[in-house]
Amino acid sequence: MSTSYIVVGAGIIGAAVGRELVHRFPGSTVTVLEKESRVATHQTGHNSGVVHAGLYYEPGSLKAQLCRRGVGLLKDFCAEKNLPYLECGKLVVGLDETEEGRLTAIHERAVANGVPGVHMVGPDGIRAREPAAIGRAALVSPGTAVVDYTAITRALADDITAAGGRVEFGRDVVRVERSAARSVVHTSTGTLAADHVIVCAGAQSDRISRRSGGPRHPSIVPFFGQYFLLEPAYRDILNGLVYPVPDPRYPFLGVHLTKRFDGEMTVGPNAFLSLSRERYRGLGLSPRDLAATLADPGFWRFSGRNMPSAVREARTVLSQRFFLREAQRYVPSLEGATATRIERGIRAQAMDATGRLLDDFVIETDAAATHVRNAPSPGATSSLAIAEHIVDRVTA
């Protein structure tokens, strides 16, 4: 008798898990359930498109291991499917002595993580790679790339159906429970049963886990990231990506410049509390989502520790001029540039009961299902490797 699997969510991680299952177990029954009418509707379809090389992550962590493995798998998949994979490289630029010291520590992590070709340069090296950029020192990551994650997810879904699996849309999953020897998935349009369920629900992961009998934490606190598209005259101002050095006082990276797979140049994202988990335009208010955030004691503990960061990020939310001025610190010739606000992204960030943002991937397994509870950046980069990791656990 064949084994049956249900995957909840058709973002890039859910699609990658479904593809891994149909390829590893050709005789199995694999069904991917997605509440929307298409794949990659939420986080996958609203990110920067960057394939991260693995610079920042704690050596030995799941992020470090799966990011490095994921880069190779993703590059091979794009080549197989003839999808864009622009290996444009990245500079992490330090502007002063303090930031140069932090860069040295990042370089050590990158080397420990096995990032190929990573090296430090001074002002002349910065200009040689990015003539429009300035800085005291920079970390060069030549293997950082940009892709179209939505197109990748569509290709993953096509592989699932080509191998005999199913991707069903309009199936909003409410909870998963164990009944006898099988798991039962309760959806908005009825129930389904399978031998095992893998929940890759992104911003809804905590809700499905809690309804399925899991713990309250980690809970999801959404943060939106606003992007601006630079006017056409500045499309080629950089060859690749220019990032700031992370400040350990703040939980997020800060404004950076990112080339897209189509050659357009964007500035962003910032990071500020989102009023919803899945609304990307206008005020983006969901009373239900906002109430859930404000009712979480961990959120207030986090807020109390990060008020300076909130003030800094609020300025980039309220003022496009301030947003671009932050970018001008690294690329002075952006002075006078104009930009267009484009659809924001929303990061589903897991937080524990103490208000600590969870840095590493969190994957929990109970009797009924495997739940991906935290998979922020580099989740998309790592998606194919995360799929391998989850399927290894499910079948161990």
Side-chain angles (χ1 to χ4, degrees):
M1 184 175 177
S2 67
T3 305
S4 57
Y5 300 95
I6 290 175
V7 180
V8 179
I12 193 168
I13 294 177
V17 170
R19 177 180 179 269
E20 182 69 18
L21 287 167
V22 296
H23 282 187
R24 200 181 298 193
F25 308 114
S28 63
T29 301
V30 177
T31 304
V32 179
L33 304 179
E34 169 56 49
K35 68 178 181 178
E36 306 294 353
S37 60
R38 63 187 189 279
V39 302
T41 304
H42 294 297
Q43 286 187 105
T44 301
H46 293 87
N47 67 28
S48 63
V50 176
V51 179
H52 295 281
L55 304 180
Y56 308 108
Y57 317 123
E58 184 68 32
S61 66
L62 265 183
K63 272 191 176 182
Q65 296 172 47
L66 299 183
C67 180
R68 287 302 315 141
R69 170 72 176 157
V71 170
L73 293 173
L74 199 65
K75 187 173 183 178
D76 290 347
F77 184 77
C78 287
E80 175 191 343
K81 302 297 183 181
N82 197 29
L83 295 171
Y85 189 96
L86 178 60
E87 202 168 78
C88 56
K90 176 170 81 173
L91 291 183
V92 183
V93 178
L95 299 177
D96 55 34
E97 186 176 356
T98 299
E99 290 187 346
E100 184 177 10
R102 292 181 194 143
L103 270 180
T104 301
I106 294 171
H107 179 241
E108 291 172 355
R109 277 194 172 189
V111 171
N113 289 336
V115 179
V118 66
H119 61 281
M120 296 280 290
V121 296
D124 291 342
I126 293 172
R127 283 191 295 271
R129 190 169 187 92
E130 294 287 3
I134 63 169
R136 177 187 175 100
L139 180 65
V140 180
S141 173
T144 297
V146 289
V147 295
D148 182 350
Y149 281 121
T150 299
I152 291 170
T153 307
R154 286 196 295 261
L156 291 168
D158 288 345
D159 276 2
I160 293 169
T161 56
R166 299 196 306 274
V167 181
E168 299 185 3
F169 298 102
R171 303 296 296 266
D172 190 1
V173 171
V174 178
R175 71 182 191 278
V176 184
E177 66 176 358
R178 194 72 175 174
S179 176
R182 308 198 83 198
S183 295
V184 178
V185 180
H186 295 260
T187 82
S188 57
T189 54
T191 61
L192 299 89
D195 294 307
H196 198 82
V197 178
I198 300 101
V199 180
C200 308
Q204 306 300 329
S205 60
D206 58 337
R207 288 172 172 161
I208 294 177
S209 179
R210 284 199 300 268
R211 294 191 204 113
S212 305
R216 177 175 181 179
H217 289 93
S219 59
I220 294 297
V221 175
F223 291 89
F224 78 76
Q226 182 63 62
Y227 296 89
F228 286 89
L229 183 68
L230 286 172
E231 61 181 297
Y234 293 86
R235 192 175 191 265
D236 298 318
I237 195 168
L238 295 174
N239 298 313
L241 286 62
V242 171
Y243 276 47
V245 178
D247 188 332
R249 295 175 299 171
Y250 303 127
F252 298 111
L253 187 58
V255 172
H256 43 282
L257 292 109
T258 305
K259 182 184 286 289
R260 296 195 318 199
F261 72 92
D262 59 5
E264 297 288 353
M265 184 65 64
T266 64
V267 182
N270 52 11
F272 200 73
L273 178 68
S274 177
L275 303 181
S276 71
R277 298 190 183 196
E278 296 177 346
R279 296 183 181 177
Y280 305 98
R281 297 181 182 275
L283 185 60
L285 173 62
S286 164
R288 176 195 181 209
D289 291 345
L290 181 58
T293 297
L294 298 181
D296 188 340
F299 167 72
W300 294 105
R301 297 183 182 104
F302 167 82
S303 299
R305 293 194 298 265
N306 289 280
M307 192 55 66
S309 175
V311 171
R312 182 187 73 162
E313 295 296 325
R315 287 182 290 180
T316 65
V317 173
L318 297 172
S319 170
Q320 180 186 131
R321 185 166 61 179
F322 182 83
F323 199 102
L324 292 176
R325 193 162 64 236
E326 285 289 289
Q328 287 170 35
R329 298 171 64 209
Y330 302 90
V331 183
S333 53
L334 284 174
E335 184 174 1
T338 60
T340 303
R341 191 184 297 264
I342 56 178
E343 201 169 56
R344 68 175 69 100
I346 298 177
R347 175 188 180 118
Q349 176 62 56
M351 179 180 291
D352 69 15
T354 71
R356 181 177 63 92
L357 300 185
L358 301 188
D359 184 59
D360 207 359
F361 298 144
V362 177
I363 301 168
E364 297 176 347
T365 301
D366 58 30
T370 295
H371 296 263
V372 179
R373 297 292 298 262
N374 191 48
S377 180
T381 299
S382 310
S383 55
L384 294 171
I386 291 173
E388 288 183 338
H389 177 77
I390 288 173
V391 175
D392 286 345
R393 286 179 55 153
V394 167
T395 58

